[in-house]
């Protein structure tokens, strides 16, 4: 078998009759490299196509979980839980990073692999999913996402991990790996965002427990939300993280072709889905009939809309897992004027925050 594989590789490199069709991916369980080659003359575009991807970009606490779950109920789309794949170049780095963060970073991807490859989410299939991922530790994270996309073809695969937006390098990685993907920038009013962050922070304080550093960083934001994992005694002002993360997304999107990007206010989707969802569907080139729109009003039907088995319970925002239904009341109207509840001296938003919020459609 090994000599056959070596011969195939030599033919591919030295002969005009063969071209490589897929990237090499080392199978760590077999300890060998697999090559798939096809004779010249076969239409490469017909045999290899970049998966149909919708990459949702949004700061945490910006409706990304409920909106991605809504879109994932469209008959031509499928939404993943949070995979955090773009935070690493390959799975080995992804596994390593998971040991350095204060949240269950691997749950979402393990649940997705269990569901898509083994048909259900149980402790047994989660264990099999972990093995499936370990055997592909040398594969790029983009290749793993491509494998998941293959499992749901011809549907559009939706990836929405909020961790991606914390680094401009991670944002660039999305486009470098998938230059034909579409990008949906989901935004939330900075006041509602700030109140949501502080609500989560208060729950930890009420329990008299130190909040995880990712949440404290959202509340204080010392300009390094990823590496700054040490709790600091800093004044709470969540508008800083809202501004910094949305600015990162806006700067990144300037390099994306216009037809591949769309910015939507999350509040509009929750309050008026009948108007906003068809606009998103038209942009994506999928059905806009009444049955498809109605299906998207039921995010609770997602495979990932409840807690997973004990070995991988998370993968999505815990508030959504507890109450995954579409509730427009979560999107109450807010103003950019007036004092902020987290400022003791009646201060309002900074000029920079108000300017960016206005650009994003808020008043």
């Amino acid at each position: 078998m090994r000599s056959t594989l070596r011969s195939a590789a030599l033919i591919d490199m030295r002969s005009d009759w063969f071209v490589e069709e897929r990237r090499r991916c080392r199978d760590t369980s077999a300890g060998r490299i697999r090559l798939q080659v096809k004779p010249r003359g076969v239409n490469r575009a017909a045999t290899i196509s970049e998966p149909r991807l919708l990459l949702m970009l949004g700061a945490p606490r910006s409706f990304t979980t409920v909106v991605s779950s809504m879109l994932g109920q469209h008959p031509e789309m499928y939404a993943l839980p949070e995979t955090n794949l773009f935070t690493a170049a390959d799975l080995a780095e992804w596994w390593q990073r998971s040991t350095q963060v204060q949240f269950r970073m691997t749950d979402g991807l393990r649940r997705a692999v269990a569901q898509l490859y083994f048909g259900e989410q149980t402790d047994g299939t989660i264990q099999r999913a972990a093995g499936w991922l370990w055997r592909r530790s040398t594969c790029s994270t983009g290749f793993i996402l491509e494998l998941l996309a293959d499992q749901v073809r011809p549907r559009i695969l939706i990836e929405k991990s909020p961790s991606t937006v914390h680094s401009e390098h991670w944002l660039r990685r999305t486009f470098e790996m998938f230059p034909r993907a579409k990008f949906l920038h989901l935004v939330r009013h900075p006041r509602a965002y700030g109140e949501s962050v502080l609500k989560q922070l208060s729950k930890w304080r009420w329990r008299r427990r130190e909040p995880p550093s990712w949440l404290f960083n959202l509340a204080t934001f010392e300009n390094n939300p990823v590496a700054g994992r040490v709790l600091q005694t800093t004044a709470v002002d969540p508008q800083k993280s809202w501004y910094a993360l949305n600015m990162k997304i806006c700067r990144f999107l300037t390099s994306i072709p216009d037809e591949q990007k769309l910015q939507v206010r999350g509040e509009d989707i929750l309050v008026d889905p009948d108007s906003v969802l068809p606009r998103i569907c038209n942009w994506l080139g999928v059905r806009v009939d009444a049955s498809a729109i109605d299906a998207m009003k039921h995010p609770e039907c997602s495979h990932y809309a409840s807690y997973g088995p004990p070995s991988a319970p998370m993968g999505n925002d815990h508030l959504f897992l507890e109450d995954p239904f579409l509730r427009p009341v979560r999107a109450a109207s807010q103003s950019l004027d007036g004092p902020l509840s987290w400022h003791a001296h009646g201060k309002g938003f900074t000029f920079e925050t108000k300017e960016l919020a206005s650009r994003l459609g808020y008043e």
Side-chain angles (χ1 to χ4, degrees):
M1 173 64 74
R2 292 181 180 176
S3 62
T4 302
L5 287 168
R6 284 196 295 269
S7 298
L10 288 173
I11 291 172
D12 178 62
M13 289 185 289
R14 298 180 181 179
S15 171
D16 290 336
W17 296 100
F18 289 88
V19 292
E20 184 176 343
E21 281 293 344
R22 295 264 187 189
R23 77 193 68 181
R24 301 183 185 195
C25 178
R26 183 172 297 279
D27 186 331
T28 55
S29 63
R32 58 180 68 125
I33 290 176
R34 298 176 293 174
L35 287 177
Q36 289 183 313
V37 295
K38 190 173 289 292
R40 187 179 297 279
V42 176
N43 187 344
R44 289 171 61 86
T47 56
I48 297 182
S49 61
E50 187 178 317
R52 301 176 69 194
L53 285 180
L54 172 60
L55 303 181
M56 187 175 294
L57 306 177
R61 319 304 316 156
S62 297
F63 305 121
T64 55
T65 301
V66 64
V67 172
S68 67
S69 298
M70 290 173 68
L71 296 178
Q73 293 311 297
H74 189 286
E76 297 177 55
M77 291 189 269
Y78 187 94
L80 294 171
E82 296 175 13
T83 69
N84 302 293
L85 280 169
F86 291 112
T87 65
D90 56 43
L91 270 191
E93 181 187 346
W94 180 85
W95 280 113
Q96 178 62 29
R97 182 174 295 279
S98 73
T99 67
Q100 302 168 349
V101 297
Q102 293 183 331
F103 67 100
R104 300 185 63 95
M105 174 179 148
T106 69
D107 283 13
L109 184 55
R110 287 187 293 143
R111 289 183 64 179
V113 171
Q115 183 66 45
L116 292 176
Y117 278 88
F118 306 112
E120 59 181 347
Q121 299 172 55
T122 65
D123 284 324
T125 60
I126 292 294
Q127 185 178 30
R128 293 174 68 186
W132 187 96
L133 290 165
W134 273 113
R135 295 194 301 274
R136 291 159 177 80
S137 290
T138 55
C139 292
S140 75
T141 50
F143 184 69
I144 298 302
L145 193 59
E146 189 172 344
L147 292 178
L148 298 181
D150 285 342
Q151 289 296 106
V152 303
R153 283 183 188 267
R155 287 175 288 177
I156 296 173
L157 187 69
I158 304 171
E159 208 289 328
K160 47 77 62 179
S161 302
S163 58
T164 305
V165 309
H166 283 275
S167 165
E168 292 182 1
H169 175 62
W170 297 346
L171 284 167
R172 289 194 300 270
R173 179 179 284 150
T174 65
F175 189 62
E176 290 168 356
M177 287 184 166
F178 299 102
R180 297 180 64 185
K182 292 201 170 184
F183 296 85
L184 179 63
H185 181 190
L186 192 68
V187 298
R188 186 179 189 178
H189 195 286
R191 187 182 298 273
Y193 166 88
E195 297 289 354
S196 180
V197 170
L198 294 181
K199 182 178 180 180
Q200 295 307 304
L201 193 64
S202 66
K203 289 182 178 180
W204 286 88
R205 289 175 173 172
W206 181 78
R207 298 170 187 166
R208 296 185 178 180
R209 295 173 58 188
E210 183 176 290
S213 57
W214 66 264
L215 178 58
F216 197 87
N217 276 317
L218 291 182
T220 61
F221 204 79
E222 297 183 321
N223 204 32
N224 194 357
V226 177
R229 293 290 176 184
V230 179
L231 189 64
Q232 302 290 339
T233 55
T234 308
V236 170
D237 191 1
Q239 71 172 308
K240 294 179 181 179
S241 61
W242 181 92
Y243 177 82
L245 295 177
N246 280 288
M247 276 301 298
K248 279 188 174 73
I249 298 171
C250 289
R251 284 194 296 266
F252 164 70
L253 289 176
T254 60
S255 64
I256 305 300
D258 289 343
E259 65 274 11
Q260 290 179 234
K261 60 188 176 184
L262 182 68
Q263 181 249 308
V264 178
R265 296 186 303 186
E267 296 91 342
D268 293 343
I269 298 178
L270 271 58
V271 171
D272 191 12
D274 289 319
S275 297
V276 183
L277 291 176
R279 180 161 69 96
I280 297 175
C281 289
N282 283 324
W283 172 63
L284 292 171
V286 297
R287 290 166 42 188
V288 293
D289 55 86
S291 62
I293 301 301
D294 183 68
M296 289 187 286
K297 297 177 185 178
H298 296 280
E300 72 276 8
C301 294
S302 167
H303 289 299
Y304 314 105
S306 60
Y307 286 106
S311 54
M314 303 304 291
N316 269 326
D317 176 71
H318 74 96
L319 294 178
F320 173 78
L321 296 177
E322 294 171 0
D323 183 16
F325 297 89
L326 175 60
R327 299 192 187 281
V329 69
R330 296 173 177 169
S333 179
Q334 301 281 354
S335 172
L336 291 175
D337 298 320
L340 300 172
S341 64
W342 55 85
H343 274 311
H345 304 293
K347 292 183 180 180
F349 287 117
T350 64
F351 172 79
E352 292 80 9
T353 297
K354 294 178 73 170
E355 184 181 47
L356 178 58
S358 296
R359 282 171 49 193
L360 297 177
Y362 293 108
E363 299 177 349

PDB file of all heavy atoms in Angstrom, residues 198-218:
ATOM      1  N   LEU A 198     -22.974  43.705  31.750  1.00  0.00           N
ATOM      2  CA  LEU A 198     -23.011  43.963  33.186  1.00  0.00           C
ATOM      3  C   LEU A 198     -23.965  43.014  33.911  1.00  0.00           C
ATOM      4  O   LEU A 198     -23.719  42.637  35.063  1.00  0.00           O
ATOM      5  CB  LEU A 198     -23.419  45.406  33.444  1.00  0.00           C
ATOM      6  CG  LEU A 198     -22.415  46.463  32.973  1.00  0.00           C
ATOM      7  CD1 LEU A 198     -22.922  47.856  33.300  1.00  0.00           C
ATOM      8  CD2 LEU A 198     -21.053  46.234  33.611  1.00  0.00           C
ATOM      9  N   LYS A 199     -25.041  42.617  33.247  1.00  0.00           N
ATOM     10  CA  LYS A 199     -25.969  41.660  33.846  1.00  0.00           C
ATOM     11  C   LYS A 199     -25.275  40.335  34.095  1.00  0.00           C
ATOM     12  O   LYS A 199     -25.443  39.724  35.160  1.00  0.00           O
ATOM     13  CB  LYS A 199     -27.180  41.471  32.921  1.00  0.00           C
ATOM     14  CG  LYS A 199     -28.234  40.524  33.478  1.00  0.00           C
ATOM     15  CD  LYS A 199     -29.420  40.422  32.533  1.00  0.00           C
ATOM     16  CE  LYS A 199     -30.474  39.470  33.074  1.00  0.00           C
ATOM     17  NZ  LYS A 199     -31.637  39.362  32.139  1.00  0.00           N
ATOM     18  N   GLN A 200     -24.485  39.904  33.112  1.00  0.00           N
ATOM     19  CA  GLN A 200     -23.746  38.654  33.296  1.00  0.00           C
ATOM     20  C   GLN A 200     -22.683  38.796  34.383  1.00  0.00           C
ATOM     21  O   GLN A 200     -22.462  37.886  35.175  1.00  0.00           O
ATOM     22  CB  GLN A 200     -23.096  38.236  31.975  1.00  0.00           C
ATOM     23  CG  GLN A 200     -24.079  37.887  30.878  1.00  0.00           C
ATOM     24  CD  GLN A 200     -25.082  36.847  31.341  1.00  0.00           C
ATOM     25  OE1 GLN A 200     -24.718  35.765  31.787  1.00  0.00           O
ATOM     26  NE2 GLN A 200     -26.360  37.180  31.260  1.00  0.00           N
ATOM     27  N   LEU A 201     -22.038  39.938  34.427  1.00  0.00           N
ATOM     28  CA  LEU A 201     -21.013  40.179  35.435  1.00  0.00           C
ATOM     29  C   LEU A 201     -21.614  40.163  36.838  1.00  0.00           C
ATOM     30  O   LEU A 201     -21.029  39.607  37.781  1.00  0.00           O
ATOM     31  CB  LEU A 201     -20.327  41.516  35.155  1.00  0.00           C
ATOM     32  CG  LEU A 201     -19.028  41.810  35.908  1.00  0.00           C
ATOM     33  CD1 LEU A 201     -17.943  40.826  35.519  1.00  0.00           C
ATOM     34  CD2 LEU A 201     -18.573  43.240  35.615  1.00  0.00           C
ATOM     35  N   SER A 202     -22.803  40.746  36.985  1.00  0.00           N
ATOM     36  CA  SER A 202     -23.443  40.807  38.299  1.00  0.00           C
ATOM     37  C   SER A 202     -23.833  39.428  38.811  1.00  0.00           C
ATOM     38  O   SER A 202     -23.849  39.187  40.025  1.00  0.00           O
ATOM     39  CB  SER A 202     -24.688  41.713  38.239  1.00  0.00           C
ATOM     40  OG  SER A 202     -25.693  41.133  37.408  1.00  0.00           O
ATOM     41  N   LYS A 203     -24.139  38.514  37.910  1.00  0.00           N
ATOM     42  CA  LYS A 203     -24.489  37.156  38.333  1.00  0.00           C
ATOM     43  C   LYS A 203     -23.311  36.485  39.013  1.00  0.00           C
ATOM     44  O   LYS A 203     -23.477  35.758  39.996  1.00  0.00           O
ATOM     45  CB  LYS A 203     -24.965  36.341  37.135  1.00  0.00           C
ATOM     46  CG  LYS A 203     -26.326  36.734  36.598  1.00  0.00           C
ATOM     47  CD  LYS A 203     -26.752  35.846  35.450  1.00  0.00           C
ATOM     48  CE  LYS A 203     -28.148  36.221  34.957  1.00  0.00           C
ATOM     49  NZ  LYS A 203     -28.589  35.348  33.827  1.00  0.00           N
ATOM     50  N   TRP A 204     -22.125  36.720  38.483  1.00  0.00           N
ATOM     51  CA  TRP A 204     -20.936  36.141  39.099  1.00  0.00           C
ATOM     52  C   TRP A 204     -20.653  36.806  40.440  1.00  0.00           C
ATOM     53  O   TRP A 204     -20.267  36.139  41.409  1.00  0.00           O
ATOM     54  CB  TRP A 204     -19.737  36.289  38.164  1.00  0.00           C
ATOM     55  CG  TRP A 204     -19.803  35.347  37.004  1.00  0.00           C
ATOM     56  CD1 TRP A 204     -20.409  35.559  35.802  1.00  0.00           C
ATOM     57  CD2 TRP A 204     -19.254  34.025  36.949  1.00  0.00           C
ATOM     58  NE1 TRP A 204     -20.274  34.450  34.990  1.00  0.00           N
ATOM     59  CE2 TRP A 204     -19.567  33.501  35.676  1.00  0.00           C
ATOM     60  CE3 TRP A 204     -18.518  33.247  37.841  1.00  0.00           C
ATOM     61  CZ2 TRP A 204     -19.173  32.229  35.278  1.00  0.00           C
ATOM     62  CZ3 TRP A 204     -18.117  31.975  37.452  1.00  0.00           C
ATOM     63  CH2 TRP A 204     -18.459  31.474  36.183  1.00  0.00           C
ATOM     64  N   ARG A 205     -20.850  38.108  40.521  1.00  0.00           N
ATOM     65  CA  ARG A 205     -20.612  38.808  41.781  1.00  0.00           C
ATOM     66  C   ARG A 205     -21.626  38.378  42.831  1.00  0.00           C
ATOM     67  O   ARG A 205     -21.304  38.257  44.021  1.00  0.00           O
ATOM     68  CB  ARG A 205     -20.674  40.315  41.553  1.00  0.00           C
ATOM     69  CG  ARG A 205     -19.483  40.861  40.761  1.00  0.00           C
ATOM     70  CD  ARG A 205     -19.658  42.338  40.450  1.00  0.00           C
ATOM     71  NE  ARG A 205     -18.446  42.904  39.850  1.00  0.00           N
ATOM     72  CZ  ARG A 205     -18.364  44.114  39.342  1.00  0.00           C
ATOM     73  NH1 ARG A 205     -19.426  44.909  39.362  1.00  0.00           N
ATOM     74  NH2 ARG A 205     -17.229  44.551  38.822  1.00  0.00           N
ATOM     75  N   TRP A 206     -22.858  38.151  42.407  1.00  0.00           N
ATOM     76  CA  TRP A 206     -23.898  37.698  43.328  1.00  0.00           C
ATOM     77  C   TRP A 206     -23.549  36.337  43.904  1.00  0.00           C
ATOM     78  O   TRP A 206     -23.833  36.054  45.074  1.00  0.00           O
ATOM     79  CB  TRP A 206     -25.238  37.643  42.589  1.00  0.00           C
ATOM     80  CG  TRP A 206     -26.377  37.203  43.464  1.00  0.00           C
ATOM     81  CD1 TRP A 206     -27.052  37.957  44.376  1.00  0.00           C
ATOM     82  CD2 TRP A 206     -26.969  35.896  43.493  1.00  0.00           C
ATOM     83  NE1 TRP A 206     -28.036  37.209  44.982  1.00  0.00           N
ATOM     84  CE2 TRP A 206     -28.003  35.939  44.458  1.00  0.00           C
ATOM     85  CE3 TRP A 206     -26.740  34.711  42.813  1.00  0.00           C
ATOM     86  CZ2 TRP A 206     -28.789  34.832  44.759  1.00  0.00           C
ATOM     87  CZ3 TRP A 206     -27.522  33.602  43.103  1.00  0.00           C
ATOM     88  CH2 TRP A 206     -28.538  33.663  44.066  1.00  0.00           C
ATOM     89  N   ARG A 207     -22.899  35.505  43.097  1.00  0.00           N
ATOM     90  CA  ARG A 207     -22.468  34.200  43.588  1.00  0.00           C
ATOM     91  C   ARG A 207     -21.170  34.281  44.398  1.00  0.00           C
ATOM     92  O   ARG A 207     -20.680  33.281  44.891  1.00  0.00           O
ATOM     93  CB  ARG A 207     -22.213  33.255  42.392  1.00  0.00           C
ATOM     94  CG  ARG A 207     -23.437  32.972  41.536  1.00  0.00           C
ATOM     95  CD  ARG A 207     -23.010  32.252  40.271  1.00  0.00           C
ATOM     96  NE  ARG A 207     -24.123  32.095  39.347  1.00  0.00           N
ATOM     97  CZ  ARG A 207     -23.978  31.742  38.068  1.00  0.00           C
ATOM     98  NH1 ARG A 207     -22.761  31.520  37.583  1.00  0.00           N
ATOM     99  NH2 ARG A 207     -25.033  31.616  37.297  1.00  0.00           N
ATOM    100  N   ARG A 208     -20.631  35.505  44.505  1.00  0.00           N
ATOM    101  CA  ARG A 208     -19.369  35.742  45.208  1.00  0.00           C
ATOM    102  C   ARG A 208     -18.242  34.896  44.595  1.00  0.00           C
ATOM    103  O   ARG A 208     -17.396  34.348  45.299  1.00  0.00           O
ATOM    104  CB  ARG A 208     -19.513  35.439  46.697  1.00  0.00           C
ATOM    105  CG  ARG A 208     -20.504  36.364  47.394  1.00  0.00           C
ATOM    106  CD  ARG A 208     -20.559  36.133  48.884  1.00  0.00           C
ATOM    107  NE  ARG A 208     -21.492  37.068  49.523  1.00  0.00           N
ATOM    108  CZ  ARG A 208     -21.740  37.097  50.839  1.00  0.00           C
ATOM    109  NH1 ARG A 208     -21.098  36.246  51.649  1.00  0.00           N
ATOM    110  NH2 ARG A 208     -22.592  37.962  51.326  1.00  0.00           N
ATOM    111  N   ARG A 209     -18.266  34.860  43.299  1.00  0.00           N
ATOM    112  CA  ARG A 209     -17.231  34.143  42.560  1.00  0.00           C
ATOM    113  C   ARG A 209     -16.581  35.100  41.569  1.00  0.00           C
ATOM    114  O   ARG A 209     -17.220  36.019  41.053  1.00  0.00           O
ATOM    115  CB  ARG A 209     -17.822  32.946  41.807  1.00  0.00           C
ATOM    116  CG  ARG A 209     -18.379  31.861  42.709  1.00  0.00           C
ATOM    117  CD  ARG A 209     -19.088  30.794  41.896  1.00  0.00           C
ATOM    118  NE  ARG A 209     -18.210  30.176  40.915  1.00  0.00           N
ATOM    119  CZ  ARG A 209     -18.616  29.328  39.984  1.00  0.00           C
ATOM    120  NH1 ARG A 209     -19.900  29.014  39.898  1.00  0.00           N
ATOM    121  NH2 ARG A 209     -17.760  28.807  39.135  1.00  0.00           N
ATOM    122  N   GLU A 210     -15.299  34.892  41.326  1.00  0.00           N
ATOM    123  CA  GLU A 210     -14.588  35.730  40.366  1.00  0.00           C
ATOM    124  C   GLU A 210     -15.069  35.416  38.957  1.00  0.00           C
ATOM    125  O   GLU A 210     -15.086  34.252  38.552  1.00  0.00           O
ATOM    126  CB  GLU A 210     -13.080  35.496  40.471  1.00  0.00           C
ATOM    127  CG  GLU A 210     -12.275  36.379  39.545  1.00  0.00           C
ATOM    128  CD  GLU A 210     -10.784  36.189  39.749  1.00  0.00           C
ATOM    129  OE1 GLU A 210     -10.287  36.601  40.806  1.00  0.00           O
ATOM    130  OE2 GLU A 210     -10.132  35.605  38.864  1.00  0.00           O
ATOM    131  N   PRO A 211     -15.482  36.404  38.179  1.00  0.00           N
ATOM    132  CA  PRO A 211     -15.964  36.136  36.822  1.00  0.00           C
ATOM    133  C   PRO A 211     -14.830  35.660  35.934  1.00  0.00           C
ATOM    134  O   PRO A 211     -13.661  35.965  36.178  1.00  0.00           O
ATOM    135  CB  PRO A 211     -16.488  37.497  36.356  1.00  0.00           C
ATOM    136  CG  PRO A 211     -15.713  38.491  37.160  1.00  0.00           C
ATOM    137  CD  PRO A 211     -15.495  37.844  38.501  1.00  0.00           C
ATOM    138  N   PRO A 212     -15.157  34.903  34.899  1.00  0.00           N
ATOM    139  CA  PRO A 212     -14.106  34.484  33.961  1.00  0.00           C
ATOM    140  C   PRO A 212     -13.482  35.700  33.300  1.00  0.00           C
ATOM    141  O   PRO A 212     -14.138  36.727  33.101  1.00  0.00           O
ATOM    142  CB  PRO A 212     -14.854  33.603  32.956  1.00  0.00           C
ATOM    143  CG  PRO A 212     -16.285  34.025  33.053  1.00  0.00           C
ATOM    144  CD  PRO A 212     -16.487  34.431  34.482  1.00  0.00           C
ATOM    145  N   SER A 213     -12.214  35.579  32.943  1.00  0.00           N
ATOM    146  CA  SER A 213     -11.492  36.746  32.434  1.00  0.00           C
ATOM    147  C   SER A 213     -12.070  37.262  31.124  1.00  0.00           C
ATOM    148  O   SER A 213     -12.027  38.467  30.861  1.00  0.00           O
ATOM    149  CB  SER A 213     -10.013  36.417  32.255  1.00  0.00           C
ATOM    150  OG  SER A 213      -9.847  35.312  31.388  1.00  0.00           O
ATOM    151  N   TRP A 214     -12.653  36.364  30.292  1.00  0.00           N
ATOM    152  CA  TRP A 214     -13.221  36.842  29.023  1.00  0.00           C
ATOM    153  C   TRP A 214     -14.374  37.799  29.288  1.00  0.00           C
ATOM    154  O   TRP A 214     -14.546  38.795  28.567  1.00  0.00           O
ATOM    155  CB  TRP A 214     -13.676  35.670  28.156  1.00  0.00           C
ATOM    156  CG  TRP A 214     -14.823  34.862  28.704  1.00  0.00           C
ATOM    157  CD1 TRP A 214     -14.756  33.712  29.428  1.00  0.00           C
ATOM    158  CD2 TRP A 214     -16.232  35.165  28.575  1.00  0.00           C
ATOM    159  NE1 TRP A 214     -16.017  33.285  29.775  1.00  0.00           N
ATOM    160  CE2 TRP A 214     -16.947  34.141  29.255  1.00  0.00           C
ATOM    161  CE3 TRP A 214     -16.946  36.189  27.954  1.00  0.00           C
ATOM    162  CZ2 TRP A 214     -18.335  34.125  29.339  1.00  0.00           C
ATOM    163  CZ3 TRP A 214     -18.338  36.174  28.026  1.00  0.00           C
ATOM    164  CH2 TRP A 214     -19.018  35.147  28.712  1.00  0.00           C
ATOM    165  N   LEU A 215     -15.176  37.517  30.323  1.00  0.00           N
ATOM    166  CA  LEU A 215     -16.310  38.388  30.645  1.00  0.00           C
ATOM    167  C   LEU A 215     -15.817  39.694  31.261  1.00  0.00           C
ATOM    168  O   LEU A 215     -16.319  40.776  30.928  1.00  0.00           O
ATOM    169  CB  LEU A 215     -17.258  37.668  31.608  1.00  0.00           C
ATOM    170  CG  LEU A 215     -18.481  38.462  32.077  1.00  0.00           C
ATOM    171  CD1 LEU A 215     -19.329  38.914  30.890  1.00  0.00           C
ATOM    172  CD2 LEU A 215     -19.320  37.620  33.038  1.00  0.00           C
ATOM    173  N   PHE A 216     -14.822  39.623  32.147  1.00  0.00           N
ATOM    174  CA  PHE A 216     -14.279  40.831  32.738  1.00  0.00           C
ATOM    175  C   PHE A 216     -13.651  41.714  31.674  1.00  0.00           C
ATOM    176  O   PHE A 216     -13.732  42.942  31.745  1.00  0.00           O
ATOM    177  CB  PHE A 216     -13.252  40.476  33.819  1.00  0.00           C
ATOM    178  CG  PHE A 216     -12.962  41.618  34.742  1.00  0.00           C
ATOM    179  CD1 PHE A 216     -13.750  41.840  35.856  1.00  0.00           C
ATOM    180  CD2 PHE A 216     -11.923  42.492  34.488  1.00  0.00           C
ATOM    181  CE1 PHE A 216     -13.496  42.907  36.710  1.00  0.00           C
ATOM    182  CE2 PHE A 216     -11.663  43.554  35.326  1.00  0.00           C
ATOM    183  CZ  PHE A 216     -12.458  43.763  36.443  1.00  0.00           C
ATOM    184  N   ASN A 217     -13.040  41.093  30.678  1.00  0.00           N
ATOM    185  CA  ASN A 217     -12.450  41.872  29.588  1.00  0.00           C
ATOM    186  C   ASN A 217     -13.508  42.603  28.774  1.00  0.00           C
ATOM    187  O   ASN A 217     -13.273  43.713  28.296  1.00  0.00           O
ATOM    188  CB  ASN A 217     -11.626  40.962  28.672  1.00  0.00           C
ATOM    189  CG  ASN A 217     -10.221  40.745  29.194  1.00  0.00           C
ATOM    190  OD1 ASN A 217      -9.567  41.669  29.649  1.00  0.00           O
ATOM    191  ND2 ASN A 217      -9.758  39.514  29.141  1.00  0.00           N
ATOM    192  N   LEU A 218     -14.666  41.975  28.589  1.00  0.00           N
ATOM    193  CA  LEU A 218     -15.748  42.663  27.888  1.00  0.00           C
ATOM    194  C   LEU A 218     -16.223  43.876  28.692  1.00  0.00           C
ATOM    195  O   LEU A 218     -16.611  44.894  28.120  1.00  0.00           O
ATOM    196  CB  LEU A 218     -16.924  41.717  27.651  1.00  0.00           C
ATOM    197  CG  LEU A 218     -16.729  40.582  26.644  1.00  0.00           C
ATOM    198  CD1 LEU A 218     -18.016  39.775  26.508  1.00  0.00           C
ATOM    199  CD2 LEU A 218     -16.298  41.111  25.281  1.00  0.00           C
TER     200      LEU A 218
END
